[in-house]
Amino acid sequence: MTHEHGHEHRDLRHESLTRAFRWAIGLNAAFVVVEFVAGLVYDSMGLLSDAGHNLSDVAGLLLALLAYRLSRVRTTPHYTYGYRKSTVLISLLNSVILLVAVGMIVAESIGRMIHPAPVAGGAVAWTAGIGVFVNGFTAWLFLKDKNRDLNVKGAYLHMAADALVSVGVLVSGLVILRTGWTIVDPIVALVVAAAIVASVWSLTRDSLRLSLDGVPAGIDIGRIVETMQRDPGVAAVHHVHVWAISTTENALTAHVVLLDVAGMEAVKVRLKAALRDSAITHATLEFEAVDCTCSDRGE
């Protein structure tokens, strides 16, 4: 009865999160269209750059939803880890596209600073005001689950930060409306572009590292080896490799030298529990006796 209730709870949570992602993606995609059209109609680089930023939100939300859905897909004989690695590749592609878009925003903003153009401050303000609501509401959708799943937490933090960016665009619209200082519009566009680069640069760096099977951010191999060697049944640990299966799961392989081979099973259970606490969800361990020579010595 408890087992069935657990499955029911997970299914309800899955449906709730899927529904939250769909609402978030739909609202933000609609807002991107509204903001882009308003930016063209009212000739506002601030709105166009924020539309680009919000387009990155949609891509990020789609990626988070994809990662969440792929984490539930079963493995196959041809894809023994399922399709989880695709989240890393999509993340890398997304970051490259966004960096190209930022370059276009910066070039256009500099051109507007050299050759100023009139901007409707009121239109900028009310459009950005909608953005504050959309981003704030989207962040609220993920509030209750943000500490249960890293993808959900990332979506929550991204949307909460973007609500603040929309506040900045709103303020620029009000300043233009009251003072007529149209120079504020491209300046805000450059600030928004800088904010995008700051977030996208780390995404690009981390995605590239993970796509090359580098050690995921936040994983300290030295500390993991120390943790494993503290086990009373372990004499030494070597040939340690750590990589990401997906944007949320890490794997490890290692050779473990045992003081007593008879205690291998107990050591294995303890080590895997310690590794789970160190964010290693998949561990493959090769055990060796103290007096044996490692077959991979030349690695």
Side-chain angles (χ1 to χ4, degrees):
M1 201 58 189
T2 304
H3 183 68
E4 292 178 358
H5 177 74
H7 276 299
E8 181 181 354
H9 177 74
R10 285 193 295 272
D11 289 341
L12 288 174
R13 179 172 167 266
H14 170 66
E15 291 176 7
S16 175
L17 273 176
T18 300
R19 187 163 51 247
F21 272 116
R22 286 173 178 169
W23 268 99
I25 291 168
L27 283 172
N28 281 272
F31 180 59
V32 166
V33 174
V34 170
E35 199 167 27
F36 182 74
V37 171
L40 291 177
V41 171
Y42 295 107
D43 207 25
S44 169
M45 276 309 300
L47 286 178
L48 290 174
S49 64
D50 198 42
H53 193 187
N54 285 307
L55 183 60
S56 75
D57 293 344
V58 176
L61 289 169
L62 284 169
L63 179 61
L65 175 59
L66 178 62
Y68 179 68
R69 296 297 293 270
L70 287 178
S71 68
R72 299 171 62 87
V73 174
R74 294 182 178 179
T75 60
T76 70
H78 295 290
Y79 295 92
T80 56
Y81 279 126
Y83 302 102
R84 300 168 191 172
K85 196 74 170 186
S86 63
T87 60
V88 175
L89 300 177
I90 293 171
S91 176
L92 180 60
L93 176 62
N94 182 41
S95 65
V96 171
I97 292 173
L98 288 173
L99 286 174
V100 172
V102 167
M104 295 172 65
I105 291 171
V106 170
E108 183 64 22
S109 297
I110 293 174
R112 290 298 179 87
M113 294 180 76
I114 298 173
H115 305 288
V119 176
V124 172
W126 68 256
T127 307
I130 296 175
V132 174
F133 169 77
V134 169
N135 290 322
F137 178 71
T138 304
W140 175 80
L141 288 175
F142 299 117
L143 181 62
K144 67 178 181 179
D145 290 307
K146 68 182 179 68
N147 293 323
R148 297 178 182 175
D149 186 287
L150 288 179
N151 281 301
V152 177
K153 184 175 183 179
Y156 166 79
L157 293 174
H158 198 170
M159 300 312 303
D162 289 343
L164 296 178
V165 172
S166 293
V167 169
V169 177
L170 171 62
V171 171
S172 75
L174 294 175
V175 170
I176 293 171
L177 185 64
R178 293 183 64 91
T179 65
W181 296 344
T182 57
I183 191 68
V184 173
D185 182 63
I187 290 175
V188 169
L190 290 173
V191 172
V192 172
I196 298 174
V197 170
S199 60
V200 172
W201 186 254
S202 61
L203 175 65
T204 305
R205 181 194 60 211
D206 293 341
S207 299
L208 184 59
R209 182 197 299 124
L210 296 186
S211 66
L212 295 173
D213 286 336
V215 178
I219 298 293
D220 185 337
I221 287 186
R223 185 173 299 175
I224 287 177
V225 171
E226 289 177 5
T227 298
M228 295 175 70
Q229 291 183 156
R230 278 200 297 268
D231 188 278
V234 174
V237 176
H238 57 271
H239 288 338
V240 180
H241 301 279
V242 179
W243 71 98
I245 298 174
S246 71
T247 52
T248 59
E249 296 177 279
N250 303 316
L252 170 146
T253 60
H255 289 200
V256 181
V257 181
L258 299 175
L259 293 171
D260 183 3
V261 178
M264 179 180 67
E265 194 62 30
V267 172
K268 181 175 69 174
V269 171
R270 291 197 301 268
L271 288 181
K272 289 199 171 187
L275 289 170
R276 280 193 295 271
D277 292 338
S278 298
I280 304 296
T281 53
H282 298 265
T284 302
L285 305 175
E286 180 176 329
F287 294 101
E288 303 169 354
V290 174
D291 56 350
C292 288
T293 302
C294 178
S295 60
D296 296 328
R297 182 174 49 185
E299 182 179 310

mmCIF file of all heavy atoms in Angstrom, residues 38-78:
data_model
loop_
_atom_site.group_PDB
_atom_site.id
_atom_site.type_symbol
_atom_site.label_atom_id
_atom_site.label_comp_id
_atom_site.label_asym_id
_atom_site.label_seq_id
_atom_site.Cartn_x
_atom_site.Cartn_y
_atom_site.Cartn_z
ATOM 1 N N ALA A 38 6.606 44.756 -30.234
ATOM 2 C CA ALA A 38 6.595 46.100 -29.653
ATOM 3 C C ALA A 38 7.927 46.799 -29.876
ATOM 4 O O ALA A 38 7.976 48.007 -30.148
ATOM 5 C CB ALA A 38 6.284 46.011 -28.161
ATOM 6 N N GLY A 39 9.032 46.043 -29.775
ATOM 7 C CA GLY A 39 10.349 46.629 -30.008
ATOM 8 C C GLY A 39 10.516 47.122 -31.429
ATOM 9 O O GLY A 39 11.104 48.180 -31.670
ATOM 10 N N LEU A 40 9.981 46.363 -32.392
ATOM 11 C CA LEU A 40 10.049 46.787 -33.791
ATOM 12 C C LEU A 40 9.139 47.986 -34.059
ATOM 13 O O LEU A 40 9.545 48.952 -34.714
ATOM 14 C CB LEU A 40 9.650 45.621 -34.708
ATOM 15 C CG LEU A 40 10.618 44.434 -34.799
ATOM 16 C CD1 LEU A 40 10.029 43.338 -35.681
ATOM 17 C CD2 LEU A 40 11.976 44.875 -35.325
ATOM 18 N N VAL A 41 7.925 47.920 -33.524
ATOM 19 C CA VAL A 41 6.952 48.988 -33.770
ATOM 20 C C VAL A 41 7.417 50.306 -33.158
ATOM 21 O O VAL A 41 7.326 51.373 -33.775
ATOM 22 C CB VAL A 41 5.563 48.597 -33.225
ATOM 23 C CG1 VAL A 41 4.601 49.793 -33.274
ATOM 24 C CG2 VAL A 41 4.991 47.432 -34.022
ATOM 25 N N TYR A 42 7.920 50.238 -31.912
ATOM 26 C CA TYR A 42 8.312 51.455 -31.200
ATOM 27 C C TYR A 42 9.814 51.736 -31.292
ATOM 28 O O TYR A 42 10.323 52.634 -30.621
ATOM 29 C CB TYR A 42 7.882 51.365 -29.736
ATOM 30 C CG TYR A 42 6.382 51.321 -29.584
ATOM 31 C CD1 TYR A 42 5.747 50.144 -29.225
ATOM 32 C CD2 TYR A 42 5.598 52.455 -29.822
ATOM 33 C CE1 TYR A 42 4.362 50.086 -29.090
ATOM 34 C CE2 TYR A 42 4.219 52.407 -29.699
ATOM 35 C CZ TYR A 42 3.607 51.222 -29.334
ATOM 36 O OH TYR A 42 2.236 51.170 -29.212
ATOM 37 N N ASP A 43 10.526 50.903 -32.091
ATOM 38 C CA ASP A 43 11.952 51.147 -32.349
ATOM 39 C C ASP A 43 12.762 51.203 -31.063
ATOM 40 O O ASP A 43 13.557 52.120 -30.852
ATOM 41 C CB ASP A 43 12.120 52.453 -33.137
ATOM 42 C CG ASP A 43 13.394 52.430 -33.969
ATOM 43 O OD1 ASP A 43 13.862 51.324 -34.301
ATOM 44 O OD2 ASP A 43 13.925 53.510 -34.264
ATOM 45 N N SER A 44 12.561 50.199 -30.203
ATOM 46 C CA SER A 44 13.253 50.161 -28.911
ATOM 47 C C SER A 44 14.240 49.003 -28.852
ATOM 48 O O SER A 44 13.851 47.831 -28.892
ATOM 49 C CB SER A 44 12.238 50.017 -27.767
ATOM 50 O OG SER A 44 12.900 49.724 -26.558
ATOM 51 N N MET A 45 15.528 49.328 -28.748
ATOM 52 C CA MET A 45 16.540 48.285 -28.592
ATOM 53 C C MET A 45 16.450 47.627 -27.225
ATOM 54 O O MET A 45 16.798 46.460 -27.050
ATOM 55 C CB MET A 45 17.942 48.876 -28.782
ATOM 56 C CG MET A 45 18.381 48.966 -30.234
ATOM 57 S SD MET A 45 18.192 47.417 -31.147
ATOM 58 C CE MET A 45 19.243 46.330 -30.193
ATOM 59 N N GLY A 46 15.975 48.388 -26.229
ATOM 60 C CA GLY A 46 15.799 47.814 -24.899
ATOM 61 C C GLY A 46 14.810 46.659 -24.934
ATOM 62 O O GLY A 46 15.041 45.600 -24.348
ATOM 63 N N LEU A 47 13.686 46.865 -25.641
ATOM 64 C CA LEU A 47 12.682 45.809 -25.755
ATOM 65 C C LEU A 47 13.193 44.650 -26.600
ATOM 66 O O LEU A 47 12.961 43.478 -26.273
ATOM 67 C CB LEU A 47 11.396 46.372 -26.372
ATOM 68 C CG LEU A 47 10.535 47.262 -25.457
ATOM 69 C CD1 LEU A 47 9.316 47.776 -26.217
ATOM 70 C CD2 LEU A 47 10.093 46.476 -24.226
ATOM 71 N N LEU A 48 13.875 44.954 -27.706
ATOM 72 C CA LEU A 48 14.382 43.887 -28.566
ATOM 73 C C LEU A 48 15.425 43.037 -27.850
ATOM 74 O O LEU A 48 15.433 41.811 -27.983
ATOM 75 C CB LEU A 48 14.980 44.483 -29.846
ATOM 76 C CG LEU A 48 13.976 45.082 -30.833
ATOM 77 C CD1 LEU A 48 14.700 45.756 -31.986
ATOM 78 C CD2 LEU A 48 13.027 44.012 -31.359
ATOM 79 N N SER A 49 16.295 43.678 -27.076
ATOM 80 C CA SER A 49 17.315 42.920 -26.353
ATOM 81 C C SER A 49 16.685 42.089 -25.247
ATOM 82 O O SER A 49 17.082 40.942 -25.004
ATOM 83 C CB SER A 49 18.375 43.857 -25.768
ATOM 84 O OG SER A 49 17.811 44.717 -24.792
ATOM 85 N N ASP A 50 15.660 42.652 -24.584
ATOM 86 C CA ASP A 50 14.991 41.886 -23.533
ATOM 87 C C ASP A 50 14.190 40.737 -24.142
ATOM 88 O O ASP A 50 14.048 39.683 -23.529
ATOM 89 C CB ASP A 50 14.070 42.803 -22.720
ATOM 90 C CG ASP A 50 13.703 42.184 -21.373
ATOM 91 O OD1 ASP A 50 14.606 41.607 -20.732
ATOM 92 O OD2 ASP A 50 12.528 42.254 -20.984
ATOM 93 N N ALA A 51 13.685 40.940 -25.377
ATOM 94 C CA ALA A 51 13.003 39.845 -26.076
ATOM 95 C C ALA A 51 13.990 38.711 -26.344
ATOM 96 O O ALA A 51 13.656 37.527 -26.195
ATOM 97 C CB ALA A 51 12.404 40.347 -27.385
ATOM 98 N N GLY A 52 15.224 39.085 -26.723
ATOM 99 C CA GLY A 52 16.256 38.072 -26.914
ATOM 100 C C GLY A 52 16.569 37.343 -25.625
ATOM 101 O O GLY A 52 16.775 36.126 -25.603
ATOM 102 N N HIS A 53 16.605 38.119 -24.525
ATOM 103 C CA HIS A 53 16.850 37.516 -23.222
ATOM 104 C C HIS A 53 15.742 36.548 -22.861
ATOM 105 O O HIS A 53 15.993 35.428 -22.401
ATOM 106 C CB HIS A 53 16.961 38.631 -22.180
ATOM 107 C CG HIS A 53 17.523 38.161 -20.877
ATOM 108 N ND1 HIS A 53 17.587 38.961 -19.771
ATOM 109 C CD2 HIS A 53 18.048 36.976 -20.505
ATOM 110 C CE1 HIS A 53 18.128 38.277 -18.775
ATOM 111 N NE2 HIS A 53 18.418 37.071 -19.201
ATOM 112 N N ASN A 54 14.490 36.968 -23.079
ATOM 113 C CA ASN A 54 13.359 36.108 -22.751
ATOM 114 C C ASN A 54 13.267 34.909 -23.683
ATOM 115 O O ASN A 54 12.739 33.860 -23.299
ATOM 116 C CB ASN A 54 12.056 36.918 -22.787
ATOM 117 C CG ASN A 54 11.912 37.813 -21.567
ATOM 118 O OD1 ASN A 54 12.006 37.369 -20.436
ATOM 119 N ND2 ASN A 54 11.708 39.094 -21.800
ATOM 120 N N LEU A 55 13.789 35.055 -24.907
ATOM 121 C CA LEU A 55 13.874 33.899 -25.791
ATOM 122 C C LEU A 55 14.829 32.865 -25.207
ATOM 123 O O LEU A 55 14.593 31.650 -25.314
ATOM 124 C CB LEU A 55 14.353 34.336 -27.177
ATOM 125 C CG LEU A 55 14.423 33.232 -28.243
ATOM 126 C CD1 LEU A 55 13.051 32.615 -28.466
ATOM 127 C CD2 LEU A 55 14.978 33.788 -29.545
ATOM 128 N N SER A 56 15.894 33.355 -24.565
ATOM 129 C CA SER A 56 16.804 32.425 -23.891
ATOM 130 C C SER A 56 16.102 31.739 -22.729
ATOM 131 O O SER A 56 16.402 30.592 -22.404
ATOM 132 C CB SER A 56 18.056 33.166 -23.392
ATOM 133 O OG SER A 56 17.775 33.949 -22.235
ATOM 134 N N ASP A 57 15.156 32.439 -22.101
ATOM 135 C CA ASP A 57 14.363 31.812 -21.039
ATOM 136 C C ASP A 57 13.561 30.640 -21.587
ATOM 137 O O ASP A 57 13.495 29.569 -20.973
ATOM 138 C CB ASP A 57 13.383 32.821 -20.428
ATOM 139 C CG ASP A 57 14.085 33.928 -19.672
ATOM 140 O OD1 ASP A 57 15.279 33.752 -19.371
ATOM 141 O OD2 ASP A 57 13.445 34.949 -19.393
ATOM 142 N N VAL A 58 12.920 30.867 -22.740
ATOM 143 C CA VAL A 58 12.118 29.803 -23.354
ATOM 144 C C VAL A 58 13.002 28.599 -23.677
ATOM 145 O O VAL A 58 12.645 27.451 -23.405
ATOM 146 C CB VAL A 58 11.414 30.317 -24.630
ATOM 147 C CG1 VAL A 58 10.668 29.182 -25.321
ATOM 148 C CG2 VAL A 58 10.452 31.447 -24.296
ATOM 149 N N ALA A 59 14.179 28.885 -24.274
ATOM 150 C CA ALA A 59 15.109 27.803 -24.596
ATOM 151 C C ALA A 59 15.562 27.086 -23.327
ATOM 152 O O ALA A 59 15.643 25.849 -23.290
ATOM 153 C CB ALA A 59 16.317 28.363 -25.347
ATOM 154 N N GLY A 60 15.845 27.865 -22.278
ATOM 155 C CA GLY A 60 16.264 27.272 -21.013
ATOM 156 C C GLY A 60 15.179 26.422 -20.389
ATOM 157 O O GLY A 60 15.437 25.345 -19.841
ATOM 158 N N LEU A 61 13.939 26.899 -20.456
ATOM 159 C CA LEU A 61 12.811 26.133 -19.918
ATOM 160 C C LEU A 61 12.586 24.847 -20.717
ATOM 161 O O LEU A 61 12.301 23.792 -20.139
ATOM 162 C CB LEU A 61 11.549 26.995 -19.931
ATOM 163 C CG LEU A 61 11.503 28.136 -18.911
ATOM 164 C CD1 LEU A 61 10.345 29.072 -19.211
ATOM 165 C CD2 LEU A 61 11.388 27.592 -17.489
ATOM 166 N N LEU A 62 12.705 24.951 -22.045
ATOM 167 C CA LEU A 62 12.571 23.759 -22.875
ATOM 168 C C LEU A 62 13.660 22.747 -22.539
ATOM 169 O O LEU A 62 13.405 21.535 -22.466
ATOM 170 C CB LEU A 62 12.649 24.145 -24.358
ATOM 171 C CG LEU A 62 11.408 24.803 -24.943
ATOM 172 C CD1 LEU A 62 11.715 25.375 -26.331
ATOM 173 C CD2 LEU A 62 10.247 23.805 -25.039
ATOM 174 N N LEU A 63 14.876 23.247 -22.321
ATOM 175 C CA LEU A 63 15.988 22.378 -21.969
ATOM 176 C C LEU A 63 15.749 21.715 -20.614
ATOM 177 O O LEU A 63 15.990 20.515 -20.441
ATOM 178 C CB LEU A 63 17.289 23.177 -21.936
ATOM 179 C CG LEU A 63 18.553 22.405 -21.553
ATOM 180 C CD1 LEU A 63 18.818 21.285 -22.544
ATOM 181 C CD2 LEU A 63 19.744 23.343 -21.489
ATOM 182 N N ALA A 64 15.272 22.501 -19.651
ATOM 183 C CA ALA A 64 14.992 21.943 -18.327
ATOM 184 C C ALA A 64 13.895 20.883 -18.404
ATOM 185 O O ALA A 64 13.982 19.838 -17.754
ATOM 186 C CB ALA A 64 14.583 23.063 -17.372
ATOM 187 N N LEU A 65 12.862 21.164 -19.199
ATOM 188 C CA LEU A 65 11.783 20.181 -19.366
ATOM 189 C C LEU A 65 12.307 18.930 -20.063
ATOM 190 O O LEU A 65 11.984 17.797 -19.665
ATOM 191 C CB LEU A 65 10.640 20.793 -20.179
ATOM 192 C CG LEU A 65 9.486 19.841 -20.541
ATOM 193 C CD1 LEU A 65 8.845 19.260 -19.286
ATOM 194 C CD2 LEU A 65 8.449 20.562 -21.387
ATOM 195 N N LEU A 66 13.143 19.127 -21.089
ATOM 196 C CA LEU A 66 13.715 17.992 -21.798
ATOM 197 C C LEU A 66 14.556 17.135 -20.859
ATOM 198 O O LEU A 66 14.449 15.902 -20.852
ATOM 199 C CB LEU A 66 14.567 18.490 -22.961
ATOM 200 C CG LEU A 66 15.287 17.406 -23.781
ATOM 201 C CD1 LEU A 66 14.283 16.480 -24.446
ATOM 202 C CD2 LEU A 66 16.198 18.047 -24.827
ATOM 203 N N ALA A 67 15.404 17.796 -20.059
ATOM 204 C CA ALA A 67 16.244 17.063 -19.117
ATOM 205 C C ALA A 67 15.394 16.303 -18.110
ATOM 206 O O ALA A 67 15.689 15.154 -17.761
ATOM 207 C CB ALA A 67 17.178 18.034 -18.396
ATOM 208 N N TYR A 68 14.326 16.936 -17.638
ATOM 209 C CA TYR A 68 13.445 16.291 -16.671
ATOM 210 C C TYR A 68 12.754 15.075 -17.279
ATOM 211 O O TYR A 68 12.649 14.019 -16.656
ATOM 212 C CB TYR A 68 12.410 17.304 -16.171
ATOM 213 C CG TYR A 68 11.438 16.733 -15.172
ATOM 214 C CD1 TYR A 68 11.869 16.347 -13.898
ATOM 215 C CD2 TYR A 68 10.102 16.560 -15.503
ATOM 216 C CE1 TYR A 68 10.993 15.813 -12.988
ATOM 217 C CE2 TYR A 68 9.211 16.024 -14.589
ATOM 218 C CZ TYR A 68 9.657 15.654 -13.335
ATOM 219 O OH TYR A 68 8.776 15.112 -12.441
ATOM 220 N N ARG A 69 12.290 15.216 -18.540
ATOM 221 C CA ARG A 69 11.611 14.101 -19.202
ATOM 222 C C ARG A 69 12.587 12.978 -19.553
ATOM 223 O O ARG A 69 12.269 11.791 -19.399
ATOM 224 C CB ARG A 69 10.903 14.601 -20.470
ATOM 225 C CG ARG A 69 9.792 15.601 -20.225
ATOM 226 C CD ARG A 69 8.663 14.993 -19.417
ATOM 227 N NE ARG A 69 7.962 13.965 -20.161
ATOM 228 C CZ ARG A 69 6.908 14.177 -20.941
ATOM 229 N NH1 ARG A 69 6.439 15.413 -21.084
ATOM 230 N NH2 ARG A 69 6.327 13.174 -21.571
ATOM 231 N N LEU A 70 13.783 13.344 -20.026
ATOM 232 C CA LEU A 70 14.759 12.329 -20.404
ATOM 233 C C LEU A 70 15.263 11.541 -19.203
ATOM 234 O O LEU A 70 15.664 10.381 -19.334
ATOM 235 C CB LEU A 70 15.943 12.976 -21.131
ATOM 236 C CG LEU A 70 15.668 13.454 -22.554
ATOM 237 C CD1 LEU A 70 16.910 14.116 -23.137
ATOM 238 C CD2 LEU A 70 15.225 12.315 -23.453
ATOM 239 N N SER A 71 15.248 12.164 -18.035
ATOM 240 C CA SER A 71 15.686 11.452 -16.834
ATOM 241 C C SER A 71 14.751 10.303 -16.489
ATOM 242 O O SER A 71 15.117 9.411 -15.712
ATOM 243 C CB SER A 71 15.770 12.431 -15.647
ATOM 244 O OG SER A 71 14.472 12.879 -15.274
ATOM 245 N N ARG A 72 13.555 10.292 -17.069
ATOM 246 C CA ARG A 72 12.574 9.241 -16.811
ATOM 247 C C ARG A 72 12.530 8.193 -17.925
ATOM 248 O O ARG A 72 11.796 7.206 -17.820
ATOM 249 C CB ARG A 72 11.180 9.869 -16.649
ATOM 250 C CG ARG A 72 11.083 10.844 -15.484
ATOM 251 C CD ARG A 72 9.763 11.590 -15.498
ATOM 252 N NE ARG A 72 8.628 10.712 -15.346
ATOM 253 C CZ ARG A 72 8.108 10.321 -14.180
ATOM 254 N NH1 ARG A 72 8.651 10.750 -13.052
ATOM 255 N NH2 ARG A 72 7.062 9.516 -14.133
ATOM 256 N N VAL A 73 13.304 8.412 -18.991
ATOM 257 C CA VAL A 73 13.310 7.460 -20.104
ATOM 258 C C VAL A 73 14.175 6.251 -19.755
ATOM 259 O O VAL A 73 15.275 6.395 -19.230
ATOM 260 C CB VAL A 73 13.845 8.137 -21.388
ATOM 261 C CG1 VAL A 73 13.988 7.119 -22.520
ATOM 262 C CG2 VAL A 73 12.910 9.263 -21.807
ATOM 263 N N ARG A 74 13.676 5.077 -20.069
ATOM 264 C CA ARG A 74 14.425 3.858 -19.769
ATOM 265 C C ARG A 74 15.621 3.695 -20.707
ATOM 266 O O ARG A 74 15.612 4.172 -21.834
ATOM 267 C CB ARG A 74 13.512 2.637 -19.895
ATOM 268 C CG ARG A 74 12.405 2.591 -18.847
ATOM 269 C CD ARG A 74 11.577 1.339 -19.013
ATOM 270 N NE ARG A 74 10.537 1.254 -17.994
ATOM 271 C CZ ARG A 74 9.656 0.261 -17.911
ATOM 272 N NH1 ARG A 74 9.698 -0.734 -18.798
ATOM 273 N NH2 ARG A 74 8.742 0.252 -16.950
ATOM 274 N N THR A 75 16.625 2.991 -20.225
ATOM 275 C CA THR A 75 17.805 2.721 -21.046
ATOM 276 C C THR A 75 17.478 1.636 -22.078
ATOM 277 O O THR A 75 16.488 0.914 -21.953
ATOM 278 C CB THR A 75 18.977 2.254 -20.169
ATOM 279 O OG1 THR A 75 18.590 1.046 -19.474
ATOM 280 C CG2 THR A 75 19.339 3.319 -19.150
ATOM 281 N N THR A 76 18.323 1.553 -23.107
ATOM 282 C CA THR A 76 18.158 0.543 -24.149
ATOM 283 C C THR A 76 19.504 -0.144 -24.374
ATOM 284 O O THR A 76 20.546 0.351 -23.924
ATOM 285 C CB THR A 76 17.693 1.188 -25.470
ATOM 286 O OG1 THR A 76 18.785 1.961 -26.020
ATOM 287 C CG2 THR A 76 16.477 2.082 -25.255
ATOM 288 N N PRO A 77 19.502 -1.275 -25.077
ATOM 289 C CA PRO A 77 20.786 -1.947 -25.363
ATOM 290 C C PRO A 77 21.745 -1.074 -26.148
ATOM 291 O O PRO A 77 22.962 -1.236 -26.057
ATOM 292 C CB PRO A 77 20.352 -3.178 -26.175
ATOM 293 C CG PRO A 77 18.957 -3.456 -25.731
ATOM 294 C CD PRO A 77 18.357 -2.099 -25.500
ATOM 295 N N HIS A 78 21.225 -0.152 -26.953
ATOM 296 C CA HIS A 78 22.082 0.732 -27.747
ATOM 297 C C HIS A 78 22.442 2.024 -27.005
ATOM 298 O O HIS A 78 23.446 2.656 -27.312
ATOM 299 C CB HIS A 78 21.401 1.080 -29.067
ATOM 300 C CG HIS A 78 21.197 -0.098 -29.972
ATOM 301 N ND1 HIS A 78 22.236 -0.749 -30.603
ATOM 302 C CD2 HIS A 78 20.065 -0.763 -30.331
ATOM 303 C CE1 HIS A 78 21.764 -1.753 -31.323
ATOM 304 N NE2 HIS A 78 20.447 -1.783 -31.181
#
